Amino acid sequence: MTTSVVGFDSAWTDNPKAPGAICVIRLDAHGARLHMEPRLASFSEAAALIHAERLEVDKCVVALDQPTIVPNLSGSRPVDKVAGALISWVGGGVQPANRSKLGMFDDAAPIWRFKHAIGAFEDPDAARTASTGLFLIEVFPALALVAIDSAYCKRLGAPKYNPANRRMFQLDHWHSVAETIRVFGSLNALEHLELWCSAVSANLTPTKADQDKIDAMICALVGLHWLVAPREQSVMIGDLVSGYIIAPALCGIHERLAIAARKRDVPIR
């Protein structure tokens, strides 16, 4: 059986001047390898690539960095509030997802056209166990980084690796994230990743597009981890009704996530 894991950082809006980024990991009897390095892609380009991948593999799992289930008209989804309990503590932020956000989650937003175009089955548990099919899961790179690198999991410890935020960006954090990605990929024996990470580290003047490519890679790695690592090393926060996020949990569920989930009666497993 051959499986593709597509990591897609959609950038949430369909702005041709600021597209998202996409990459592909292939997994078969010989192991996992980086099949396509991150490249910039719009929603329509991503959909076309996913259709092409689906024709070449038995199973394809799309790990998307954007809320995929947004029933609430205002405010934040319950899962976003749970994730925010940890992300805000480390010094990051969770952008609220609701249907009033024009261009992102209103009825005409590109995310809904994208979901319709690819026709993926959205059931993370089925994505793990099925031998064939096309599946979609929601992931969150910022939460993943905190979960896989203990250096980031402390008060105001989130890495500042977004070059668009010139005031906060730190080049040593950029290098640190590249190394974190390399180590995380090695946990699931991903081949051809080290060279890509080396090239990322060698880039001394990264742009926002370069960060989008990093986030696409993190998406793909979270998807791969969800499929091949022991189930207890991942977590699903939320549900398929109000929204959910899949994230690594290498050391178990963080206490701040667990407390926030109990407080809001949000499932976490």
Side-chain angles (χ1 to χ4, degrees):
M1 186 181 76
T2 303
T3 298
S4 280
V5 181
V6 178
F8 182 32
D9 172 22
S10 67
W12 290 31
T13 61
D14 210 6
N15 182 353
K17 294 184 179 180
I22 195 167
C23 65
V24 179
I25 292 171
R26 286 273 183 95
L27 175 67
D28 56 27
H30 302 290
R33 63 191 180 279
L34 180 56
H35 178 70
M36 188 190 82
E37 293 186 356
R39 63 179 66 170
L40 299 182
S42 65
F43 277 98
S44 60
E45 290 167 339
L49 186 148
I50 291 164
H51 282 303
E53 277 297 303
R54 183 66 189 93
L55 294 175
E56 296 188 14
V57 299
D58 299 292
K59 181 168 76 172
C60 181
V61 177
V62 180
L64 174 65
D65 176 18
Q66 179 167 356
T68 60
I69 296 173
V70 186
N72 49 302
L73 298 178
S74 61
S76 299
R77 304 179 303 167
V79 64
D80 298 329
K81 294 177 180 178
V82 173
L86 178 57
I87 295 300
S88 62
W89 180 67
V90 301
V94 179
Q95 185 173 177
N98 61 67
R99 297 304 286 259
S100 70
K101 285 186 171 289
L102 299 180
M104 293 183 181
F105 301 109
D106 61 288
D107 290 345
I111 180 61
W112 313 129
R113 295 195 302 272
F114 171 76
K115 287 185 64 175
H116 178 75
I118 66 173
F121 185 41
E122 193 160 10
D123 185 331
D125 290 320
R128 279 180 53 85
T129 58
S131 57
T132 62
L134 174 60
F135 299 88
L136 175 67
I137 62 172
E138 178 186 334
V139 299
F140 186 11
L143 182 60
L145 285 174
V146 173
I148 62 182
D149 194 331
S150 59
Y152 304 143
C153 195
K154 60 185 180 181
R155 177 65 176 159
L156 303 180
K160 306 300 187 292
Y161 70 107
N162 180 0
N165 189 338
R166 295 183 180 182
R167 184 177 65 86
M168 299 294 292
F169 176 76
Q170 297 185 39
L171 188 59
D172 60 327
H173 288 199
W174 177 266
H175 294 153
S176 173
V177 169
E179 175 62 11
T180 295
I181 290 172
R182 186 194 67 78
V183 172
F184 186 45
S186 71
L187 293 179
N188 294 308
L190 178 61
E191 297 179 0
H192 310 319
L193 178 64
E194 189 163 348
L195 284 177
W196 182 82
C197 289
S198 295
V200 169
S201 289
N203 183 357
L204 301 182
T205 56
T207 65
K208 180 61 172 69
D210 294 319
Q211 190 227 342
D212 293 336
K213 293 176 184 178
I214 277 187
D215 284 349
M217 181 62 76
I218 296 172
C219 290
L221 288 172
V222 172
L224 176 66
H225 187 76
W226 176 252
L227 295 184
V228 304
R231 177 61 178 84
E232 62 270 18
Q233 292 185 11
S234 294
V235 62
M236 177 175 174
I237 310 168
D239 55 44
L240 297 175
V241 176
S242 62
Y244 71 96
I245 294 171
I246 300 296
L250 299 182
C251 299
I253 299 171
H254 193 280
E255 182 181 8
R256 288 180 180 272
L257 293 177
I259 292 174
R262 287 196 299 269
K263 181 179 178 181
R264 295 170 174 82
D265 198 24
V266 173
I268 182 169
R269 57 185 179 86

